[in-house]
Amino acid sequence: MNNDIRTEIEKIIKDEVKKIGRPDLFREPMVGFVSVDDPSIVNVKGIVGPWHDSPDDQLPGARTIIAYTVPFTKEVALDPEYAKFSGLIWSEAYILINKKFGEISGIVADYLRSQGFEAATVTATNDYDPSDPVSSWSHRTMACAAGLGKFGMNRILMTSKGSAVRYCSLLTTAELAPSGPYDGPVCMGLEDGSCTLCLEACPVNALTRWYDGGKFDCQELQEVYHDKMIEELSVDTAGTCGKCIAVCPLAYIE
Ligand code: B12
């Protein structure tokens, strides 16, 4: 299979994150590849929900999904834990990388087209209706299927560099060799129930009742934090929370 193409894609993604010039916020990305024939992709509507797109909905003839993750530095990863509202550096990193994701995926897609393949990019976030906060394309499900991580009790995908990371993915008609299964650290809460820090850290107790109003309270909290930052701190930044990630012993892994 096209190993040179895989190597070039990894290089493009790593170089583009380096070019942001913020080693204080971002670490080297990790890239994973999964075939559309992988059972977790074939069954994606069953795993995520019937509203989720199939690869063909995004790109007719898609053969491979390229998932990538940008890990935050320790300073960003631990920022939300003691922040009164949104963590300032967490929010800065959130805004910067969300903007950059479109550019990075676009460059990878152009490269694939230059090699004679089709490619389709997918918006990194904020592509959903707040009255029904689900996206038609779950980047972390793609990352999970591509062997980059495993879900934890806080509903966050843990990777070998921690769970304080952000995800993006794109599709191509190129047949690229899949990455192996994830073999990094996993959530202790799910493994043996020995950790419940994330459940306790949520200011609105959303994680224990996610499908019973919890996800809406999580969403609303981020809006409240946005307004409070303006009112009390005169800072207009993204309303984020992330306390369920920051308290996790696996938030940051060297
Ligand atoms: C809508 C949305 C929200 C909504 C609600 C999400 C929801 N309904 O679950 C709100 C506004 C509440 C929200 C909150 C947050 N979000 Co948000 N959000 C999204 C968005 C845009 C879509 C997610 C979605 O459709 N979810 C629907 C559910 C059903 O799918 P899912 O959660 O993605 O994946 C599920 C399945 O795959 C399944 N699953 C279970 N077992 C298995 C096994 C296998 C093998 C597989 C394949 C899958 C699987 O479990 C997952 C969890 O239920 C994504 C970006 C994107 N397009 O992916 C970001 C995203 C999920 N959010 C993210 C983050 C960081 C946050 C916040 C921390 C806020 C912040 N930005 O600081 C909180 C964390 C809340 C939490 N603990 O989950 C990150 C997650 C990073 C990570 N490490 O996992 C994402 C991926 C954005 C990004 N581009 O990086 N979010």
Side-chain angles (χ1 to χ4, degrees):
M1 283 198 216
N2 288 302
N3 279 331
D4 292 352
I5 292 184
R6 266 182 58 132
T7 308
E8 184 58 24
I9 290 171
E10 287 188 35
K11 185 177 175 318
I12 292 172
I13 294 173
K14 287 178 182 172
D15 286 352
E16 286 306 313
V17 170
K18 227 186 240 166
K19 276 192 216 159
I20 304 175
R22 295 297 303 268
D24 57 321
L25 302 181
F26 308 117
R27 293 186 284 157
E28 185 173 81
M30 293 185 289
V31 186
F33 301 84
V34 60
S35 164
V36 297
D37 297 333
D38 186 278
S40 54
I41 301 299
V42 173
N43 301 323
V44 73
K45 285 177 194 281
I47 293 172
V48 183
W51 66 85
H52 198 281
D53 281 348
S54 72
D56 266 346
D57 293 331
Q58 288 281 345
L59 176 70
R63 292 302 306 148
T64 306
I65 294 153
I66 303 157
Y68 61 100
T69 176
V70 178
F72 288 154
T73 57
K74 192 171 190 173
E75 207 188 356
V76 179
L78 306 185
D79 183 38
E81 186 173 359
Y82 298 108
K84 192 171 174 199
F85 307 119
S86 303
L88 277 178
I89 27 181
W90 178 278
S91 295
E92 185 187 6
Y94 169 95
I95 293 170
L96 257 177
I97 199 65
N98 279 355
K99 264 197 211 141
K100 189 72 185 176
F101 272 141
E103 210 178 304
I104 300 175
S105 291
I107 295 171
V108 173
D110 285 346
Y111 163 71
L112 283 159
R113 290 184 195 114
S114 77
Q115 301 301 304
F117 301 104
E118 290 301 323
T121 62
V122 189
T123 313
T125 192
N126 294 336
D127 53 343
Y128 56 91
D129 173 359
S131 65
D132 181 19
V134 290
S135 172
S136 59
W137 190 256
S138 167
H139 291 296
R140 54 182 164 179
T141 297
M142 299 305 140
C144 177
L148 289 176
K150 196 170 173 197
F151 283 97
M153 194 181 246
N154 57 2
R155 312 178 40 83
I156 292 294
L157 195 71
M158 317 275 156
T159 76
S160 57
K161 289 195 181 171
S163 51
V165 304
R166 287 195 74 79
Y167 295 100
C168 202
S169 55
L170 67 154
L171 304 93
T172 178
T173 53
E175 197 85 53
L176 303 174
S179 312
Y182 178 69
D183 63 355
V186 294
C187 168
M188 289 170 291
L190 284 189
E191 282 298 290
D192 58 14
S194 62
C195 180
T196 52
L197 286 174
C198 58
L199 306 187
E200 290 145 27
C202 178
V204 289
N205 192 26
L207 294 171
T208 50
R209 47 180 191 89
W210 193 252
Y211 296 105
D212 186 19
K215 69 176 174 184
F216 290 102
D217 290 345
C218 171
Q219 177 173 250
E220 196 187 323
L221 181 71
Q222 296 178 57
E223 287 157 21
V224 170
Y225 278 177
H226 175 251
D227 296 346
K228 290 268 184 205
M229 300 284 281
I230 296 175
E231 281 163 29
E232 294 191 25
L233 307 176
S234 304
V235 176
D236 189 359
T237 186
T240 57
C241 179
K243 291 188 197 300
C244 59
I245 301 181
V247 298
C248 175
L250 301 177
Y252 176 87
I253 299 169
E254 200 68 52

